[in-house]
Amino acid sequence: MVGPDATAVWLLPDAAERRRRLRDRDLSRPVLRFYELLAERIEDEVHGRGAPVVHTGRGAPLRRVVPEVEERFAAALAAGPVVRDRAGRVSLLRLANLDVVRQHLAYLARPWTTGDATTMVAHFDCECGRRDCEALVGLAIADFPTGPAHLDPVLAAGHAPTGS
């Protein structure tokens, strides 16, 4: 857990949004209740320790959430390090995408989960490295390429790899 001075922020949905997201996962009643209790406990601890929070959910549009998060990280972002070229952006995108894979695999490793890496689809950032690219690529977790980013980048339709 982090305190109020950490370079961190907790994104917490309001209770109604949290319940909606959990119910959309089609979990069994005991697992759903476990996650509800866990979320309540986490929220209580975050608030109890004075950790920085940005509330999200249907009532919090992205245009409000993003500036709050940017403000919280402004000093750390200004201090760098900063990626200045396309190859550096591709490397960071690959690291972020690999984190998504790891998170999903960790979820699937839990004994109460259903599904598998061949059917669970996640949305990955396009690894073309263009500054203006915000495209996402839907792939099954098992289909995510595991080689170096320059050999097998995840690319949105019509996007070219670094150096092309």
Side-chain angles (χ1 to χ4, degrees), residues 126-149:
C126 175
E127 296 174 359
C128 70
R130 288 190 348 232
R131 283 183 184 267
D132 63 338
C133 181
E134 296 180 7
L136 297 175
V137 180
L139 284 175
I141 298 301
D143 292 337
F144 186 87
T146 57

Side-chain angles (χ1 to χ4, degrees), residues 86-142:
R86 191 170 179 168
R89 285 191 297 280
V90 169
S91 292
L92 286 178
L93 290 165
R94 174 50 60 108
L95 289 172
N97 284 339
L98 286 170
D99 278 342
V100 171
V101 171
R102 281 190 284 275
Q103 290 169 10
H104 281 79
L105 291 175
Y107 170 77
L108 289 169
R110 295 177 177 150
W112 60 80
T113 59
T114 58
D116 60 68
T118 63
T119 58
M120 182 176 275
V121 174
H123 291 89
F124 298 96
D125 290 313
C126 175
E127 296 174 359
C128 70
R130 288 190 348 232
R131 283 183 184 267
D132 63 338
C133 181
E134 296 180 7
L136 297 175
V137 180
L139 284 175
I141 298 301

Side-chain angles (χ1 to χ4, degrees), residues 5-78:
D5 297 325
T7 305
V9 65
W10 289 85
L11 302 176
L12 297 177
D14 60 44
E17 178 66 9
R18 183 177 63 234
R19 280 191 298 276
R20 185 193 66 77
R21 289 179 189 179
L22 286 171
R23 289 202 171 92
D24 285 352
R25 293 182 182 179
D26 196 31
L27 302 167
S28 68
R29 287 183 65 95
V31 173
L32 175 63
R33 185 65 186 140
F34 170 76
Y35 277 130
E36 287 173 340
L37 291 170
L38 184 61
E40 290 169 12
R41 170 101 187 246
I42 289 169
E43 189 167 346
D44 289 345
E45 287 184 14
V46 167
H47 288 300
R49 293 211 166 94
V53 171
V54 173
H55 291 282
T56 65
R58 289 186 183 224
L62 197 56
R63 68 180 178 277
R64 182 188 64 73
V65 172
V66 170
E68 283 188 56
V69 172
E70 286 175 338
E71 181 180 329
R72 179 70 189 174
F73 290 104
L77 291 170

